[in-house]
Amino acid sequence: MKKLLSLPPNLVRAFHAVEGLPASDYFCTSDPVGHKLGSGGGTAWLLWQAWQHASSHPSSSEPSSSEPSSSGPSSQQATPSSSLPSQPFSSPAFNKWLSAERRVLIHAGGQSRRLPAYAPSGKVLAPIDADGRNLLSEGLPFCEALMQTAPASIHTLVLSGDVLISSPLPAQPMPQADVVCYALPAAPEQLSHHGVYALSAADGLTLDFMLQKPSVTEQQQYTSTHTLLLDIGLWALSDRAVQVLCRRSCQADGNIGFYDLYGQFGTALGRHPHTPDAEVSALSVAIVPLPEGRFLHFGTTPELITSVATLTGQPNPDAIWVENSVTEGWTMPGRNVVTGVPRLSAPLALRAGQCVDVVPVGAEAYALRPYGYADAFRGAPTDPATLFMGQPLGQWLEAHHVTQPDILGAADIQEAPLFPVVGLEDAGPLLAWMLAPSADACHPLYANAERLSADQLMERANLPRLYRQRLALREARLDEPRAFARLRAQITEPLLAGHEVCPQIDDQYAEVRATAPLRMDVSGGWTDTPPFCIQHGGAVVNVSLLLNGNAPLSCFVHPLPEPRIHIISRDLNQQCFVSTYEDLADYAHLRSAFSIPKAALALVGFDPRFNGGRYASLKEQLNGRGFELVMNSPVPAGSGLGTSSVLAATVLAALAAYCHLDWSREEIGYRTLVLEQLLTSGGGWQDQYGGIIPAAKLLVTQPGTLQKPAITPLPSTLWTLPDLAPCHLLYFTGITRTARQILGQIVRRMFLREPLQQRHLFEMKQHAYVMADAIRLADVNPQQALEAYGACLRANWQQNQQLDAGCNPPAVQAICQQIDDLCLGYKLPGAGGGGFLYMVARDADAAALIRRRLTANPPSPTAGFYEFGLGRYGLHVVKVPASDSNSNTTHP
């Protein structure tokens, strides 16, 4: 889904680099310099610019790793009069583009006068916690989920960039209407600061008219006849509504001019609009209250404090916010916001209401911006009502003996050059002078330094430097145990919230057996891993794999006459007995042979957390019956073929069938993701789905906590055609590497949102679609498909190494050097570093030569080739009734 962002010009140039988000998914531009377009005209302009960019960059669906500051969207800073033809939106090509895909538009290009701390980087990127989450990353998944439910006529969702809207409940289908507005109930005082929907009390949710910032007294006129709801600025527009909006935004000469989406377009909607416009009023409207929804505004410094406190559930009575700053030893009595401050020569003592923002400028310098907690940065410098540092600007200038005429001569304080640019060594003393109540004289540095206005700061800020400092400080302070614990809770809590599992044990089955193939990932790996997939969704291509003609993983469940559970690991030749809930509670011991079956037993309801605590003991729950659980995983350790995850899914499937739980394959896959979080091993969803779902497939998830992939089967031709099958080789290297350590390192950088890694992950996600296309080509041109597939496999191996250079250690490189000239492509499946090596030979003769070379020079005593084929059935469950010997085969 395309994201269109209206941003400040400087942020447009840096956005893709500093955020690590791909140009293929995120289009950025700014309003034309010197032109105020309003939210309606700004929507039209953003759509026009996005269409122009798509028309001139037909390959823009490909991800871009280039710096956006030199090309692409950042070049779109022209004035509208020079780039728009007469009647720009009448083009059939524009209307075709409009209806081709869904998009979310976010308006975040304002000056941020009342929230100066995040003016240079834009409020939409304002961090909302120490872990690097921001309004964009937190708000988009909800918007995208809404658009997934939109009717065919709606392709556009519009949102303000300084709000965060969420709801704990799944998105309901969006109603059919030209304009769908989401709303919340609110107190009269809050309604007086926003748009308000007046719904006829007699007609339920029918919009009668819309008001803009009605006073409490004005609201009282309607309370007996109308229901008043808060406009939260989240509007879905049909293509017809977009076309009307764009026409209303155009001036007589065809250029886009000022038009307000809410104050003009909105007030013309409804049955009895206050400012009727025949074409706008003819549009159908649906008002949708968000059940249990939350609307947080980040428009001002005080709102930043209160909204973050509400979001995190951590009260902040002193109203102190410190971010991207080193403040050891500082004094902050309250109502203090400190952002962007590097380590200064000495700590500062702030007074109540004083705030400090330090902005990197150029290669090494910093602009110093102290301000007051409630400063609005609006008004003439000579006006006594214009505040700076919480006092009239003139008062501060006089107390500090500042006589520079360019400050008082500015038309607005936003344009007044107040903020000095200095080196780091001078930043502390000069800030202390600016923050002092008064001074004996004007500081020489202040008098002689270059000084910037708030507007100039937005243009001159070195955002890559700002982000590098933020990343370095965040990395130094990252509380990994806390971050991982919160991620585990985020994934597991949906299963603990009112979803009790009630396993039933009876004498119906003599045996339940489940078998599963392994999985081999060929593209998109790591994009399935939380938190990345929760934030952005994932895309993976993998295949289910038989070894030597067999599905190697199995789990058998048999009844026992006594109330206990007997767990046996055949491949490890170990066993244990479970008789109490306490026996199950140690499943987080990863080195235990029984961690997977114990966690699986918890998830199927043999744990008070998952069965609602309805039993006093496990003995009471078993009610005189028990069962034996036998696992077998005869696969070399560290294989890279997703063994532990697929085994966990196999155990869950066998237990679910034995206990009469009607779980689908998708449900088992999701619960396996939860199981791995219970084990604290982490990991993504592709391993288990790779084994559960047969053959080759493309797996795609949307952003959000509930990661259940959409599954697209892919042709098996590449692996089954007689001329091509011999080209695929699987070789066990005998070299192993612990995936847990690799996973921890990569997930740590996901928590940090490290931009370079983010770009790599988005490229890998896009590459999964390229790989899927190569596999589909086999039904048309098998040999060409094999070559394309091999090239994609080679590219994926390079992507894995960009993400983690350690996945290709010297011992593996030595093996690859022996076979590189004979291969179209190759890679180590999984996290890499060892285990199996998958190769696609150029032809059958090259494959035979590869076999001879590696057989003659094995890297270890356990190295050798394995014969493999695609798993035709995926996860396979057989229920053997106790009453007869005939089997009942199911495919969950």
Side-chain angles (χ1 to χ4, degrees):
M1 190 178 300
K2 197 79 171 183
K3 276 72 70 174
L4 312 184
L5 282 72
S6 178
L7 303 173
N10 189 34
L11 180 55
V12 171
R13 291 188 285 270
F15 175 83
H16 297 95
V18 298
E19 282 293 310
L21 298 173
S24 58
D25 291 344
Y26 291 81
F27 170 82
C28 307
T29 190
S30 62
D31 284 353
V33 176
H35 290 71
K36 292 185 178 298
L37 301 181
S39 51
T43 297
W45 171 259
L46 185 51
L47 287 167
W48 172 260
Q49 291 288 285
W51 174 54
Q52 289 286 290
H53 180 73
S55 301
S56 59
H57 296 78
S59 62
S60 61
S61 61
E62 295 296 320
S64 170
S65 59
S66 62
E67 293 297 321
S69 59
S70 61
S71 63
S74 61
S75 64
Q76 298 166 27
Q77 301 302 318
T79 61
S81 59
S82 64
S83 59
L84 288 182
S86 179
Q87 302 302 320
F89 299 106
S90 59
S91 165
F94 172 79
N95 294 327
K96 182 179 179 180
W97 170 84
L98 189 66
S99 61
E101 64 177 342
R102 288 174 174 163
R103 62 193 66 84
V104 177
L105 275 68
I106 300 178
H107 290 298
Q111 294 173 307
S112 192
R113 293 176 183 243
R114 296 182 299 161
L115 184 59
Y118 296 107
S121 58
K123 285 185 283 190
V124 73
L125 300 183
I128 57 177
D129 64 10
D131 296 331
R133 297 186 297 163
N134 57 37
L135 291 184
L136 182 65
S137 66
E138 291 307 293
L140 266 179
F142 178 68
C143 294
E144 291 181 306
L146 286 181
M147 285 303 285
Q148 291 293 333
T149 73
S153 61
I154 292 180
H155 293 89
T156 304
L157 187 75
V158 181
L159 177 68
S160 172
D162 62 357
V163 301
L164 182 61
I165 300 168
S166 62
S167 173
L169 302 179
Q172 299 301 307
M174 188 181 293
Q176 180 71 57
D178 288 314
V179 182
V180 179
C181 302
Y182 290 87
L184 286 172
E189 180 60 30
Q190 186 178 14
L191 292 176
S192 68
H193 297 291
H194 298 277
V196 174
Y197 303 118
L199 310 180
S200 172
D203 296 324
L205 297 179
T206 301
L207 177 67
D208 206 18
F209 51 84
M210 186 177 181
L211 302 169
Q212 282 300 316
K213 299 182 180 180
S215 68
V216 174
T217 301
E218 185 181 358
Q219 294 174 46
Q220 291 173 349
Q221 302 175 24
Y222 304 109
T223 53
S224 62
T225 57
H226 291 78
T227 300
L228 302 183
L229 294 177
L230 176 70
D231 170 24
I232 56 178
L234 185 62
W235 287 31
L237 304 176
S238 71
D239 297 344
R240 177 191 175 199
V242 168
Q243 290 159 357
V244 172
L245 175 64
C246 290
R247 285 195 291 272
R248 284 296 175 272
S249 301
C250 286
Q251 299 171 329
D253 59 2
N255 293 314
I256 295 176
F258 182 89
Y259 187 69
D260 189 70
L261 176 64
Y262 308 105
Q264 292 176 271
F265 190 83
T267 56
L269 295 171
R271 294 192 310 173
H272 302 98
H274 281 196
T275 55
D277 175 313
E279 190 175 21
V280 177
S281 302
L283 297 172
S284 58
V285 186
I287 307 298
V288 182
L290 280 178
E292 301 184 33
R294 183 164 58 184
F295 169 75
L296 299 176
H297 197 220
F298 290 77
T300 68
T301 298
E303 286 177 337
L304 169 72
I305 302 296
T306 56
S307 293
V308 168
T310 301
L311 182 66
T312 60
Q314 299 175 351
N316 190 353
D318 295 326
I320 295 174
W321 173 258
V322 178
E323 190 271 323
N324 190 17
S325 298
V326 181
T327 58
E328 285 86 355
W330 285 39
T331 299
M332 288 180 276
R335 294 186 297 120
N336 306 117
V337 172
V338 180
T339 50
V341 181
R343 187 175 297 278
L344 302 179
S345 56
L348 294 177
L350 304 184
R351 290 175 290 143
Q354 287 189 326
C355 305
V356 176
D357 183 39
V358 174
V359 182
V361 175
E364 297 181 350
Y366 294 89
L368 312 181
R369 173 165 47 184
Y371 60 96
Y373 188 76
D375 287 0
F377 277 92
R378 187 175 301 278
T382 55
D383 187 339
T386 300
L387 300 183
F388 177 63
M389 302 280 286
Q391 58 191 298
L393 173 59
Q395 182 177 316
W396 181 87
L397 295 172
E398 182 179 353
H400 289 77
H401 304 279
V402 175
T403 58
Q404 276 69 10
D406 53 353
I407 295 177
L408 289 173
D412 187 274
I413 188 174
Q414 183 77 2
E415 302 168 7
L418 286 164
F419 308 116
V421 179
V422 297
L424 180 59
E425 67 280 2
D426 296 322
L430 190 51
L431 272 172
W433 173 82
M434 296 180 74
L435 292 163
S438 61
D440 295 334
C442 181
H443 199 293
L445 279 175
Y446 191 86
N448 297 317
E450 178 187 14
R451 286 174 286 106
L452 302 178
S453 68
D455 277 343
Q456 289 172 319
L457 265 181
M458 293 181 65
E459 181 60 29
R460 294 275 302 278
N462 187 325
L463 296 180
R465 273 185 63 199
L466 180 72
Y467 269 68
R468 285 196 296 270
Q469 176 178 301
R470 176 178 288 149
L471 181 63
L473 292 176
R474 191 184 301 151
E475 187 167 8
R477 296 172 180 171
L478 177 64
D479 184 344
E480 288 190 62
R482 173 178 169 270
F484 277 96
R486 188 170 70 182
L487 180 64
R488 287 195 296 273
Q490 188 178 10
I491 294 172
T492 58
E493 281 176 359
L495 283 185
L496 294 172
H499 298 285
E500 298 176 4
V501 183
C502 302
Q504 301 176 39
I505 304 175
D506 52 32
D507 298 325
Q508 182 174 350
Y509 300 125
E511 178 182 86
V512 169
R513 53 181 180 264
T515 58
L518 298 168
R519 79 91 185 93
M520 184 165 64
D521 63 304
V522 296
S523 188
W526 293 115
T527 72
D528 66 304
T529 305
F532 180 84
C533 63
I534 292 175
Q535 298 159 4
H536 307 290
V540 172
V541 175
N542 63 33
V543 298
S544 62
L545 200 67
L546 303 179
L547 291 185
N548 297 328
N550 298 311
L553 306 180
S554 63
C555 180
F556 298 77
V557 183
H558 311 274
L560 288 178
E562 65 270 9
R564 64 176 180 172
I565 302 169
H566 185 197
I567 306 175
I568 301 171
S569 172
R570 279 185 179 169
D571 56 288
L572 297 177
N573 195 26
Q574 296 185 41
Q575 62 179 324
C576 75
F577 290 93
V578 174
S579 301
T580 67
Y581 287 141
E582 289 72 22
D583 293 337
L584 285 176
D586 64 346
Y587 50 68
H589 294 168
L590 286 177
R591 294 184 179 179
S592 167
F594 309 111
S595 58
I596 286 176
K598 286 185 177 182
L601 285 164
L603 279 174
V604 299
F606 294 103
D607 183 316
R609 287 199 304 162
F610 294 94
N611 64 28
R614 62 180 65 194
Y615 304 102
S617 66
L618 180 60
K619 183 177 180 180
E620 178 188 337
Q621 183 176 3
L622 292 174
N623 193 27
R625 294 184 175 90
F627 53 88
E628 183 177 74
L629 187 156
V630 183
M631 304 177 300
N632 194 28
S633 176
V635 183
S639 69
L641 298 178
T643 307
S644 61
S645 296
V646 184
L647 178 62
T650 307
V651 174
L652 276 174
L655 286 171
Y658 187 80
C659 297
H660 302 279
L661 300 174
D662 187 22
W663 287 354
S664 66
R665 282 174 163 169
E666 289 74 18
E667 185 67 21
I668 290 169
Y670 171 68
R671 289 178 182 267
T672 303
L673 177 64
V674 174
L675 183 148
E676 292 188 320
Q677 296 300 323
L678 293 178
L679 296 181
T680 72
S681 59
W685 43 257
Q686 76 132 318
D687 290 1
Q688 57 266 30
Y689 281 102
I692 291 171
I693 308 301
K697 58 272 181 187
L698 170 66
L699 305 163
V700 178
T701 62
Q702 299 301 320
T705 302
L706 193 62
Q707 289 287 295
K708 291 189 177 182
I711 302 163
T712 304
L714 298 173
S716 300
T717 312
L718 282 178
W719 297 271
T720 58
L721 200 68
D723 290 343
L724 303 185
C727 298
H728 301 269
L729 301 170
L730 190 65
Y731 182 74
F732 183 64
T733 65
I735 303 165
T736 60
R737 184 181 180 206
T738 304
R740 177 176 170 82
Q741 182 180 2
I742 307 168
L743 176 70
Q745 295 169 353
I746 290 179
V747 171
R748 185 175 194 272
R749 298 204 299 273
M750 288 181 183
F751 282 128
L752 293 169
R753 288 179 168 83
E754 197 278 319
L756 183 59
Q757 178 182 268
Q758 290 280 97
R759 288 205 294 274
H760 288 328
L761 287 167
F762 277 109
E763 289 170 3
M764 296 170 83
K765 179 180 174 182
Q766 182 64 28
H767 189 263
Y769 296 97
V770 178
M771 174 64 88
D773 287 340
I775 295 173
R776 292 187 186 101
L777 181 62
D779 285 343
V780 179
N781 189 324
Q783 184 59 41
Q784 184 180 350
L786 183 71
E787 294 172 3
Y789 174 75
C792 285
L793 194 69
R794 187 180 287 268
N796 179 244
W797 179 230
Q798 294 300 319
Q799 290 172 335
N800 284 3
Q801 293 174 69
Q802 287 177 328
L803 205 63
D804 172 30
C807 72
N808 188 15
V812 172
Q813 294 176 35
I815 301 173
C816 295
Q817 287 173 1
Q818 297 184 58
I819 53 88
D820 182 76
D821 61 318
L822 301 171
C823 287
L824 295 169
Y826 52 84
K827 68 165 293 186
L828 297 181
F836 280 90
L837 173 65
Y838 171 49
M839 297 163 279
V840 179
R842 296 184 181 278
D843 50 40
D845 292 338
L849 184 53
I850 290 171
R851 287 180 181 272
R852 290 197 295 272
R853 285 183 182 179
L854 294 183
T855 301
N857 298 284
S860 73
T862 58
F865 284 93
Y866 279 66
E867 300 307 316
F868 78 95
L870 295 192
R872 293 178 54 201
Y873 298 111
L875 179 62
H876 188 66
V877 177
V878 176
K879 303 174 185 177
V880 181
S883 57
D884 58 62
S885 59
N886 295 325
S887 67
N888 177 20
T889 303
T890 65
H891 302 276

